[in-house]
Amino acid sequence: MLDAEFRDAGFLLKFTLVKTGAGMTAKKKVLISRCPAACCREVHSLNNQEFYVVKDLFLEIGSEEIPARFIPRALDTIKNYLGNYLEKDAKISFQGIRTLGTPRRLVIYVQGVAEKQEDTVVETTGPAKRAAFDENGKPTKAAQGFARNQGVKVKDLKIVQTPKGEYISVRKVLKGKKTKDILQDVLPKLIAGGALFPKAMRWGNGDITFARPIHWIVAMLGKDIIPFKVGDIKAGRVSYGHRFMKPQPFKVTGLNDYLKKTKASYVIADTEERRKLIQKGIEKEARSVKGFILQDDELLDEVANLVEYPAVLLGRFDGKFLNIPKDVAVNAMREHQRYFSVIDKQGGLLPYFITVANTKTKSPKVVVNGNEKVLRARLSDAKFYFDRDIKMPLTERIDQLRGVVFQAKLGTFYEKVKRFAELAIFIGAEIQFSDYQHVQEKLEDFLSDSFNPKSYDSSKTSKKWLNKLILGRAAMLCKADLVSGMVGEFPKLQGTMGMEYALISGECTDVARAIYEHYMPLQAGARVPAGVPGAVISIADKTDTICGCFGVGLIPTGVADPYALRRQALGIIAIITEKNFPLAMDKIIDKAISLLDAKLTISPVDVKKDVLEFFRERLKNQLILQGYSFDTVDAVLSAPWYDINDAVKRVKALERFKKTPACGALVIAFKRVSNILRGPVSGDMGQEKPDVSLFEDVKEKELFEVAERISPEINKYWKEGDYAMVFETLASLKGIIDTFFDKVMVMVEDEKIRRNRLILLNMIRNLYYQIADMSKMVA
């Protein structure tokens, strides 16, 4: 026997619990506060019937070292899948989920898991009462068959009232399964299903997949082992310590016990705890040489998932390597060795690095010396390439791009550069930043001294002409560093080295900065280019890639996007919105496709249609993620949306208008207009106006006159971008539209009258259709 009490949602229950074969039975109990109608989360009855207490689920998957970048995703996947499965599929209540992870173990802890599924009440309706019972009230074969099929007796059938009359029904309570039995089936599928990692492997003779070979599994519900096998690994309660420092096994009894024992075995299982330890350690080492850490959260996250027991060590490199660009040295330390860089108060690099080892060592100096030797070789390579690269001006590297293939069907990087350089100049002119390219100007001219912006006095030269020179020269030079030795050795320095070499070659600051910034944004949510030239070239480069790939059939699928077209489209949208560029995407895409014409294997018309839809979907998803309603976004993007900033303004205005009392009724009215114009009956009417001489009802004339009166007002507000006033003006149509439909039959037999009335309604639709398809709105 066991005395217990449990508080849930403010209800306190006290029990004397007795173990039975089926579970725990409450023999004596005191209800301190009133229980909710059916049950509390953990207590299924208050009438001396069986109930089940909660237990904690603990799962640990021990393996060989999992790649650091796989761990966060795997833990999120396990957490989301198991949480959704328990709550939505299995109907098993729980209180919370926590994940832990190291390179050698993934852990999920689910607190307060109910011992069994919730019972489910199923009500099934059978035949009508009149068919189920005869005039004497005796069950017919229909009732008997229904009862038999439902596994109940005829006396258990009930009569229920439905909108169609009285029917027979059966109400069954399906007892929930034990949680342990359910987990015994689902956990091995979760572990070995292959969905946890972007890449998985098989080993031995088994057919299971995981990031790395599994060595042990701990699976417990409360104190009980959940019995299952994954391959030849049997789940149990035994875990292991650090591979090198204390590999001995230990038994797990719960989370707190596990955390104590792993720490005693030189394993810090909590990722966030390891991260904080590393941050504290590297800051301490940096202070020891009067420096500061060059903060790199991405590197910190990665290193935290590379070690189980962090040991922070400080090393030094030769000061001569400080003569190479700071980004080069930092990249060599970060990308190849996962070292943290040390800087002074001004941000200058100091000749130190900090590494994080996975073990405590008796001879730290030996470990540091080894790391210093490795870094010396990397920095020596970097210095060699840098010294060799700067001997050749950036302009002399352009021809080498003729031998570098961008994509087999789309040609070399030299061809690509020429395409997007011309597109960049076009975009610059479209946003009133620069002049258009003159017919007699060749793109190669922008590499000559006479087209070098530094050759001109900005105070005596047209600003737009000068900006065109910056755009053209930066665009032609921005891929030249791809053929440098440094970028060949350190690929992540593309753009960075282009800027460095441009400045060393004597290019102006605007050109150099644009070369660096044209790769931005590097990922969703990252910074966009600060300068207009870099932003314009970035749009041009990315648009050329997207149109080119679509034009040769390299369209992203659900699982494959090898040219990162989705990311590039999102980057273009981010630049346009953050820089507030007045760009029409359809015009930009037309220009890009015309420059690609000889390379296309798909019809230009189809390429344009597909690319525009690709951008529209990206923009829609972005707006919905920002919190705008689906129907609002859908309504605006179903109208012409090519000016992205204008479309966003319309979404914001319509979202505000939705909150006004007039919106719902107006949407219903416009739905009536759109519905009757849908399909072939209306034909292609465009901007055609109705023939007033064919009006037979005064309501036709009234609707036409109102439309004629407000049309100039709406056009005025539209051009001014005052969409709040557009929707307010449209709201004035609501009453007259309702009256029109109440009094006027549109689809009359007389073809001329019918068509004239459809033209009138199309005139109404045109008032709002260029701004938002209001028929898409939810009333």
Side-chain angles (χ1 to χ4, degrees):
M1 296 177 66
L2 175 67
D3 288 333
E5 70 177 45
F6 189 82
R7 187 181 297 276
D8 182 49
F11 301 95
L12 179 62
L13 302 169
K14 290 191 174 182
F15 315 93
T16 297
L17 307 180
V18 179
K19 183 74 175 180
T20 68
M24 301 291 290
T25 301
K27 293 299 183 184
K28 296 179 182 179
K29 48 192 173 301
V30 179
L31 181 60
I32 305 300
S33 299
R34 187 179 178 187
C35 181
C39 63
C40 298
R41 178 179 288 176
E42 288 76 22
V43 183
H44 284 232
S45 174
L46 292 176
N47 298 315
N48 281 333
Q49 297 178 16
E50 181 181 320
F51 73 94
Y52 294 89
V53 296
V54 297
K55 294 182 177 180
D56 296 337
L57 168 64
F58 183 91
L59 174 67
E60 180 192 44
I61 309 160
S63 69
E64 294 183 14
E65 280 72 7
I66 300 170
R69 68 184 186 278
F70 288 6
I71 295 172
R73 169 181 162 167
L75 291 175
D76 284 344
T77 301
I78 295 174
K79 180 178 180 178
N80 293 334
Y81 174 83
L82 196 55
N84 287 331
Y85 178 81
L86 291 174
E87 181 180 358
K88 297 177 181 178
D89 298 335
K91 308 295 184 186
I92 297 172
S93 63
F94 62 92
Q95 294 171 348
I97 300 182
R98 180 182 176 186
T99 58
L100 308 168
T102 78
R104 294 191 69 220
R105 64 199 75 221
L106 302 177
V107 177
I108 185 154
Y109 169 74
V110 187
Q111 184 181 15
V113 183
E115 264 195 333
K116 64 182 286 290
Q117 284 179 312
E118 298 172 7
D119 294 341
T120 305
V121 176
V122 178
E123 293 190 12
T124 306
T125 303
K129 177 184 176 182
R130 63 178 180 274
F133 298 96
D134 62 21
E135 63 274 9
N136 297 318
K138 293 183 178 181
T140 64
K141 290 184 178 180
Q144 293 170 356
F146 175 69
R148 185 170 54 252
N149 291 337
Q150 295 300 316
V152 299
K153 295 179 180 179
V154 172
K155 66 178 183 179
D156 296 323
L157 299 177
K158 307 293 182 184
I159 307 297
V160 295
Q161 186 68 43
T162 75
K164 295 181 180 180
E166 290 185 312
Y167 282 73
I168 63 170
S169 173
V170 63
R171 185 176 186 270
K172 294 187 292 185
V173 178
L174 303 180
K175 287 289 185 180
K177 296 180 181 179
K178 290 185 177 181
T179 300
K180 183 177 175 182
D181 295 338
I182 294 170
L183 292 173
Q184 184 179 349
D185 178 62
V186 74
L187 291 182
K189 295 177 181 177
L190 172 62
I191 294 169
L196 299 181
F197 309 102
K199 292 182 181 179
M201 63 177 291
R202 290 185 172 87
W203 61 94
N205 297 320
D207 59 355
I208 64 171
T209 59
F210 203 72
R212 293 295 183 268
I214 298 173
H215 284 223
W216 76 88
I217 298 173
V218 178
M220 300 172 63
L221 186 62
K223 306 298 181 185
D224 301 326
I225 293 172
I226 303 172
F228 64 84
K229 289 179 69 176
V230 175
D232 58 356
I233 305 297
K234 187 177 180 180
R237 66 172 80 250
V238 177
S239 184
Y240 295 84
H242 193 285
R243 180 191 287 272
F244 305 111
M245 299 176 70
K246 196 172 181 179
Q248 290 81 4
F250 60 86
K251 288 186 177 180
V252 179
T253 61
L255 179 66
N256 292 334
D257 168 73
Y258 174 80
L259 292 174
K260 290 178 183 177
K261 288 178 177 176
T262 48
K263 194 166 290 187
S265 299
Y266 298 99
V267 174
I268 307 299
D270 190 328
T271 309
E272 187 58 30
E273 184 179 351
R274 286 197 311 278
R275 193 181 190 278
K276 290 178 180 177
L277 285 172
I278 294 169
Q279 181 72 47
K280 184 177 179 181
I282 60 179
E283 288 176 353
K284 179 182 177 181
E285 292 297 334
R287 286 195 301 270
S288 72
V289 292
K290 299 181 180 179
F292 303 88
I293 287 296
L294 178 62
Q295 193 60 39
D296 189 332
D297 290 336
E298 187 178 334
L299 178 59
L300 183 58
D301 290 338
E302 182 179 6
V303 171
N305 283 316
L306 284 171
V307 298
E308 289 202 307
Y309 194 83
V312 179
L313 301 168
L314 176 71
R316 182 184 177 91
F317 59 85
D318 195 319
K320 69 179 182 181
F321 295 119
L322 295 176
N323 293 325
I324 62 177
K326 173 184 171 181
D327 287 333
V328 174
V330 170
N331 184 271
M333 288 187 274
R334 182 194 195 281
E335 298 300 326
H336 291 270
Q337 306 304 131
R338 305 301 186 265
Y339 296 161
F340 292 91
S341 301
V342 182
I343 56 176
D344 58 25
K345 288 183 178 180
Q346 288 72 42
L349 197 63
L350 294 176
Y352 300 98
F353 67 91
I354 298 174
T355 184
V356 181
N358 190 31
T359 57
K360 289 179 67 176
T361 176
K362 295 179 180 179
S363 304
K365 186 64 176 175
V366 175
V367 177
V368 170
N369 287 342
N371 281 277
E372 288 177 345
K373 184 177 180 180
V374 172
L375 182 58
R376 188 181 307 117
R378 299 300 306 169
L379 292 177
S380 294
D381 287 346
K383 188 175 186 305
F384 167 78
Y385 287 119
F386 179 73
D387 291 342
R388 190 179 68 175
D389 286 345
I390 61 176
K391 294 176 181 177
M392 179 183 290
L394 208 56
T395 53
E396 294 182 16
R397 294 187 179 276
I398 304 302
D399 270 354
Q400 295 179 35
L401 292 174
R402 296 177 187 272
V404 182
V405 175
F406 166 65
Q407 200 280 328
K409 295 179 180 179
L410 296 174
T412 66
F413 265 99
Y414 184 83
E415 293 173 287
K416 177 176 175 58
V417 164
K418 288 188 68 176
R419 287 196 301 267
F420 74 70
E422 185 171 341
L423 182 58
I425 296 170
F426 176 81
I427 294 172
E430 286 291 300
I431 63 173
Q432 302 296 308
F433 174 72
S434 59
D435 287 337
Y436 284 98
Q437 183 180 353
H438 294 302
V439 176
Q440 65 269 25
E441 292 172 351
K442 296 180 180 179
L443 290 168
E444 291 83 353
D445 293 340
F446 289 97
L447 298 174
S448 66
D449 289 340
S450 60
F451 276 67
N452 190 334
K454 291 188 74 172
S455 303
Y456 295 86
D457 183 345
S458 59
S459 64
K460 300 178 180 179
T461 308
S462 162
K463 184 65 174 176
K464 287 188 176 182
W465 163 256
L466 201 60
N467 287 340
K468 180 173 71 171
L469 299 185
I470 292 169
L471 278 178
R473 194 170 182 88
M476 290 297 290
L477 290 173
C478 68
K479 301 295 185 184
D481 64 341
L482 295 180
V483 290
S484 68
M486 184 68 79
V487 172
E489 184 69 11
F490 302 97
K492 287 199 173 182
L493 288 176
Q494 59 185 342
T496 299
M497 296 317 302
M499 179 175 68
E500 290 285 348
Y501 294 153
L503 292 172
I504 292 171
S505 299
E507 299 295 335
C508 73
T509 304
D510 287 334
V511 168
R513 187 187 300 116
I515 291 172
Y516 171 72
E517 290 185 340
H518 92 281
Y519 283 105
M520 295 179 171
L522 298 176
Q523 59 189 24
R527 288 187 303 119
V528 303
V532 173
V536 168
I537 297 170
S538 179
I539 293 172
D541 182 14
K542 291 173 172 60
T543 303
D544 175 78
T545 300
I546 293 169
C547 293
C549 287
F550 271 77
V552 296
L554 298 174
I555 300 172
T557 64
V559 294
D561 186 8
Y563 289 89
L565 303 188
R566 294 186 184 93
R567 175 172 60 80
Q568 296 196 57
L570 290 173
I572 292 171
I573 292 169
I575 293 170
I576 290 174
T577 54
E578 290 195 33
K579 307 299 282 188
N580 199 29
F581 286 161
L583 274 177
M585 285 305 302
D586 55 336
K587 290 183 68 175
I588 304 306
I589 289 167
D590 276 336
K591 180 67 174 179
I593 290 173
S594 71
L595 295 170
L596 280 157
D597 186 52
K599 303 289 185 183
L600 301 180
T601 60
I602 296 174
S603 159
V605 174
D606 290 336
V607 174
K608 179 181 179 180
K609 177 175 68 69
D610 291 344
V611 171
L612 283 172
E613 179 59 22
F614 183 69
F615 271 97
R616 194 181 81 92
E617 282 300 309
R618 306 283 83 70
L619 179 58
K620 179 194 287 188
N621 293 338
Q622 282 293 96
L623 290 169
I624 292 171
L625 284 174
Q626 290 171 21
Y628 296 106
S629 304
F630 176 86
D631 61 329
T632 299
V633 175
D634 192 35
V636 171
L637 298 189
S638 294
W641 58 270
Y642 309 127
D643 183 336
I644 290 175
N645 284 310
D646 183 69
V648 172
K649 284 180 67 176
R650 282 182 272 150
V651 167
K652 292 178 178 178
L654 184 52
E655 194 83 335
R656 288 191 294 269
F657 181 66
K658 276 183 68 174
K659 299 175 183 177
T660 66
C663 182
L666 185 66
V667 167
I668 293 172
F670 284 158
K671 279 181 181 289
R672 297 180 73 179
V673 172
S674 293
N675 287 340
I676 205 166
L677 289 171
R678 188 175 293 133
V681 293
S682 60
D684 182 14
M685 299 172 181
Q687 299 297 319
E688 188 177 351
K689 288 190 176 184
D691 184 347
V692 294
S693 67
L694 294 177
F695 290 161
E696 294 183 337
D697 193 293
V698 67
K699 298 304 177 184
E700 293 179 86
K701 183 180 179 182
E702 288 178 5
L703 182 60
F704 173 73
E705 289 175 348
V706 170
E708 283 279 86
R709 175 175 55 79
I710 69 171
S711 179
E713 296 177 28
I714 290 174
N715 287 331
K716 172 179 174 291
Y717 295 137
W718 181 15
K719 290 177 182 178
E720 294 172 352
D722 189 350
Y723 293 113
M725 285 302 301
V726 168
F727 293 121
E728 185 177 322
T729 305
L730 285 171
S732 66
L733 283 170
K734 193 271 173 188
I736 190 68
I737 292 175
D738 288 344
T739 304
F740 174 84
F741 279 115
D742 290 342
K743 301 294 183 181
V744 179
M745 171 69 72
V746 176
M747 306 305 290
V748 293
E749 290 186 10
D750 189 311
E751 184 178 347
K752 285 186 177 181
I753 302 298
R754 180 175 69 244
R755 176 172 171 76
N756 199 57
R757 289 174 179 172
L758 288 171
I759 291 171
L760 174 59
L761 290 177
N762 188 64
M763 180 181 175
I764 298 299
R765 182 172 65 174
N766 286 339
L767 293 175
Y768 64 84
Y769 195 69
Q770 296 297 311
I771 297 150
D773 183 354
M774 301 293 286
S775 67
K776 302 281 187 181
M777 299 288 290
V778 176

